[in-house]
């Protein structure tokens, strides 16, 4: 793979990491904003907000699992972090490669339960897990946040060494288009509806 092709692949993978950051930021604005906000969502849209919560979590689990898929499975090559590092190896010195390899191994260990959840409950319906859903441990927000942080760090380190990129993943959402604004509108709407005799 040429450096130009490698940079195009890195851009594509980086976009996926940015999307995870964006979705998680909106998720936290909605669901990690205190009991008053949760009550506001539950009063007039509990089914919608519960579905949205599930969809965002499932999407993040699927995205993290895809990003950490093996470089290839059979004849199919995956646009994943392991494939990116594999292709980048010829452009890295031994020290950088060793550091990035260790970082990827750490990320891979971090996502074991996430990948298991993807494989058994989301991307496939494992019969044993379907019949005994209680045997598949629930993922925690801390697990997801830790995996996202390691994913961002790996991607930031790799692209800095390869292309001199200075990457950050603090997503800027236009004012008035974020979860916090939606909650304000919902709370105001709830107050208005409650005031109607």
């Amino acid at each position: 793979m040429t450096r130009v092709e490698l940079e195009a692949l890195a851009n594509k993978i980086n976009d996926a990491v940015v999307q995870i950051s964006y979705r998680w930021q909106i998720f936290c604005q909605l669901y990690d904003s205190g009991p008053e906000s949760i009550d506001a969502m539950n009063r007039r849209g509990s089914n919608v907000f519960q579905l949205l919560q599930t969809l965002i979590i499932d999407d993040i689990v699927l995205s993290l699992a895809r990003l950490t898929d093996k470089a290839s499975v059979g004849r199919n090559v995956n646009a994943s972090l392991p494939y990116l590092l594999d292709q980048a190896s010829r452009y890295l010195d031994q020290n950088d490669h060793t550091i990035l390899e260790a970082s990827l191994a750490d990320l891979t260990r971090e996502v074991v339960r996430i990948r298991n959840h993807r494989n058994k409950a989301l991307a496939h319906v494992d019969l044993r897990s379907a019949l005994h859903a209680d045997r598949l441990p629930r993922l925690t927000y801390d697990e997801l946040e830790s995996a996202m942080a390691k994913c961002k760090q790996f991607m930031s380190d790799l692209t800095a060494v390869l292309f001199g990129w200075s990457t950050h993943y603090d997503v800027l959402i236009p004012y008035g288009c974020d979860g916090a604004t939606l909650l304000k509108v919902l709370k105001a709407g709830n107050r208005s509806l409650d005031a109607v005799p």
Side-chain angles (χ1 to χ4, degrees):
M1 181 175 281
T2 67
R3 283 187 72 85
V4 171
E5 292 169 329
L6 189 62
E7 190 167 7
L9 175 61
N11 262 311
K12 190 71 173 169
I13 292 173
N14 197 56
D15 287 346
V17 177
V18 168
Q19 279 303 309
I20 291 173
S21 300
Y22 170 76
R23 290 170 186 151
W24 189 251
Q25 184 171 332
I26 288 177
F27 180 88
C28 289
Q29 288 173 340
L30 291 174
Y31 301 101
D32 194 22
S33 56
E36 184 184 328
S37 297
I38 299 299
D39 180 59
M41 289 185 283
N42 285 337
R43 290 186 64 206
R44 296 293 195 287
S46 60
N47 290 353
V48 172
F49 286 107
Q50 181 183 15
L51 175 62
L52 180 61
Q53 181 181 23
T54 300
L55 291 174
I56 293 173
I57 292 292
D58 288 353
D59 180 72
I60 288 171
V61 168
L62 289 166
S63 296
L64 286 168
R66 275 193 302 266
L67 283 167
T68 56
D69 275 338
K70 293 178 182 177
S72 62
V73 178
R75 286 186 265 164
N76 298 316
V77 176
N78 293 315
S80 63
L81 296 174
Y83 180 71
L84 181 62
L85 181 58
D86 178 62
Q87 294 302 302
S89 61
R90 72 185 74 159
Y91 302 105
L92 297 168
D93 67 36
Q94 186 58 48
N95 185 53
D96 287 335
H97 188 266
T98 300
I99 291 169
L100 288 164
E101 207 170 43
S103 177
L104 183 59
D106 187 34
L107 171 59
T108 301
R109 284 188 297 276
E110 188 73 32
V111 297
V112 166
R113 283 174 30 92
I114 293 168
R115 293 177 56 75
N116 188 44
H117 193 78
R118 185 268 309 253
N119 294 340
K120 294 193 175 289
L122 295 180
H124 312 282
V125 182
D126 176 68
L127 179 60
R128 197 172 303 144
S129 297
L131 294 176
H132 306 284
D134 57 323
R135 290 187 186 165
L136 190 62
R138 292 181 62 116
L139 298 172
T140 67
Y141 294 165
D142 288 344
E143 283 178 275
L144 295 174
E145 286 182 335
S146 180
M148 284 184 270
K150 289 182 180 189
C151 185
K152 292 174 198 177
Q153 190 63 57
F154 173 82
M155 198 59 198
S156 181
D157 292 345
L158 178 68
T159 56
V161 170
L162 279 175
F163 311 114
W165 295 358
S166 177
T167 309
H168 71 88
Y169 296 98
D170 299 326
V171 180
L172 300 175
I173 301 173
Y175 178 76
C177 299
D178 60 356
T181 302
L182 176 61
L183 285 172
K184 286 179 190 171
V185 170
L186 185 60
K187 289 173 187 176
N190 283 341
R191 285 191 297 274
S192 294
L193 289 171
D194 290 344
V196 174

